[in-house]
Amino acid sequence: MDTEEGPGSGRWTRRRFVGAVAGTAAVVAVPSPAAPPAGTPAAAVEPGAAAPPRGPSAPRPLYVGTYTSVDGGGTGIALATYDPATGRITGSGTLTGVPDPSYLAVHPDGRTLYAVDERQDGGVTAVRLADRRVLDTRGTGGAGPCHLSVHPSGRWLLSADYGSGSVAVHPIDASGALGERTDLVTHTTPPPGPGQQGPHAHQFITSPDGGHVLAVDLGTDTVYSYRLDRARGTLTEVAQAHTRPGAGPRHLTFHPGGRYAYLANEVDDTVTVCGYEPDSGRLTIGEPQSTGSDGGTNYPAQFVVTANGGYAFLANRGHNSLARYAVEADGARLRLLGTVPVGGDFPRQIALSPDGGLLFAANQRSGTVTVFHVDADSGELRSAGEPFVSPVAVCALPL
């Protein structure tokens, strides 16, 4: 995240400032759905919001997160479809009623979409995709939630509060609705890194083996490993991995093999390869490497890795590019191949389509989503055409 106070607050922290001119946020993935308990409120859907199409060759759903409380921001979660062959995006309306939905995730069964409510009084909201009905909103217990993910079991929602430097766990019931928070942990050690006023939890994810959950904290220059009690939804810290002081780690993405991961360091404009031990949950952070930004002002945002583990792509905000890396030595090494202009301003988040054939970039300052064809054999990226316009696009979630 960058640092600033969440959209709903009066003053700005670095998260909002770095993204200025529009707001800030991130991403995950989403499919399709089931029917709601009587009496639950439906999210308003602006005209033209059609239900997600079906069929293997039909256009696929795309959800776009935004900030609703900034000048020129969106009014909710933008609804669209994309053509899997051409990458062309077509808008179909907006799902309103969710404030500042800057990061999105989907339940493993594809029926429920989850969004952070990135406000000072942070929350997470569940939306049933079948009828786009808001099931409920629960408080995270912290400020400015900027990331969330669903545990592979589908029973727990994990969220990271940037403003308060805390991580939270909420239970998910059979309908996809959220229960009251089962745990909240605030990062108190180590102390904040250079230039930071406190902890800033930026991401909370599950390891590929499912044995641990990991929290990336930009403010303390630390990745925390926890064991999640799958019966009670409580967290026990088991390890810490520290970057060099002032790196400002933002997002961690695992290689499909599960033994290595790639960390984007927002503040010092570097990336690192990390080793991971599934048994202990311990992460070992390697030496800093180039983002391809050539030394200009740049804030790396997020990695994605191809399903075959052969290539990795990094979003560079400032340089406004996508860095291309060859992944070598079974995931242990990244080799920078070069950069490609993203075709927008300030790519906050990137995501691959489920089939891996397309890469989507949400460009915060230009308010656009750009799309690229991905060659899985060569790692080449080719523009899929004109950008899709969406106010303060900070998260693009293709299903």
Side-chain angles (χ1 to χ4, degrees):
M1 215 166 195
D2 322 320
T3 21
E4 39 206 88
E5 218 99 6
S9 70
R11 62 196 170 79
W12 287 57
T13 70
R14 180 169 172 277
R15 170 170 172 71
R16 261 227 196 317
F17 173 73
V18 170
V21 190
T24 6
V27 91
V28 182
V30 191
S32 50
T40 51
V45 179
E46 294 182 356
R54 308 286 182 170
S57 59
R60 300 289 303 156
L62 176 72
Y63 297 86
V64 182
T66 185
Y67 285 110
T68 60
S69 62
V70 298
D71 291 342
T75 56
I77 300 171
L79 307 173
T81 60
Y82 69 94
D83 185 316
T86 66
R88 179 181 175 83
I89 299 174
T90 303
S92 58
T94 304
L95 190 151
T96 61
V98 184
D100 293 311
S102 66
Y103 205 94
L104 310 173
V106 69
H107 193 280
D109 67 11
R111 297 182 177 191
T112 310
L113 175 69
Y114 300 97
V116 297
D117 304 346
E118 195 181 321
R119 297 285 177 100
Q120 180 65 21
D121 186 11
V124 285
T125 294
V127 178
R128 186 170 51 218
L129 291 177
D131 55 6
R132 305 222 172 89
R133 179 180 292 272
V134 171
L135 296 176
D136 54 14
T137 296
R138 300 286 184 176
T140 62
C146 65
H147 183 272
L148 79 176
S149 63
V150 183
H151 188 270
S153 67
R155 294 185 55 200
W156 306 103
L157 184 72
L158 312 172
S159 59
D161 293 305
Y162 182 84
S164 53
S166 53
V167 292
V169 182
H170 287 81
I172 300 173
D173 69 19
S175 74
L178 299 170
E180 289 297 339
R181 188 176 63 249
T182 53
D183 208 352
L184 176 70
V185 176
T186 300
H187 298 150
T188 56
T189 57
Q196 301 296 326
Q197 301 305 307
H200 293 302
H202 215 306
Q203 183 191 34
F204 200 18
I205 59 172
T206 305
S207 62
D209 59 281
H212 296 87
V213 292
L214 292 87
V216 179
D217 196 297
L218 181 151
T220 62
D221 293 324
T222 300
V223 180
Y224 301 83
S225 295
Y226 298 94
R227 279 202 179 278
L228 172 68
D229 185 316
R230 299 191 197 182
R232 299 186 300 162
T234 53
L235 300 169
T236 302
E237 184 181 313
V238 296
Q240 294 183 5
H242 306 292
T243 67
R244 66 180 183 178
R250 176 187 178 92
H251 272 270
L252 185 76
T253 302
F254 277 91
H255 183 270
R259 293 284 183 168
Y260 298 96
Y262 313 114
L263 185 63
N265 297 311
E266 173 181 320
V267 179
D268 74 355
D269 187 23
T270 63
V271 299
T272 52
V273 177
C274 306
Y276 176 70
E277 301 172 9
D279 291 342
S280 67
R282 185 172 299 280
L283 198 73
T284 302
I285 298 175
E287 293 300 312
Q289 297 180 222
S290 172
T291 63
S293 66
D294 302 322
T297 300
N298 185 58
Y299 306 96
Q302 181 178 1
F303 269 110
V304 293
V305 183
T306 57
N308 64 8
Y311 297 94
F313 306 105
L314 173 73
N316 280 321
R317 299 168 299 163
H319 193 249
N320 289 341
S321 66
L322 299 172
R324 300 168 48 246
Y325 295 87
V327 179
E328 301 174 336
D330 295 325
R333 189 165 60 239
L334 290 178
R335 177 167 55 88
L336 180 65
L337 299 175
T339 62
V340 174
V342 75
D345 190 358
F346 222 66
R348 164 85 177 222
Q349 172 265 342
I350 55 177
L352 293 168
S353 59
D355 65 4
L358 297 170
L359 183 151
F360 296 78
N363 303 298
Q364 180 175 343
R365 291 180 178 169
S366 57
T368 57
V369 177
T370 48
V371 188
F372 294 82
H373 293 282
V374 180
D375 188 317
D377 294 325
S378 68
E380 295 291 332
L381 296 175
R382 178 172 53 86
S383 173
E386 291 299 309
F388 173 70
V389 176
S390 185
V392 192
V394 290
C395 177
L397 185 55
L399 306 188

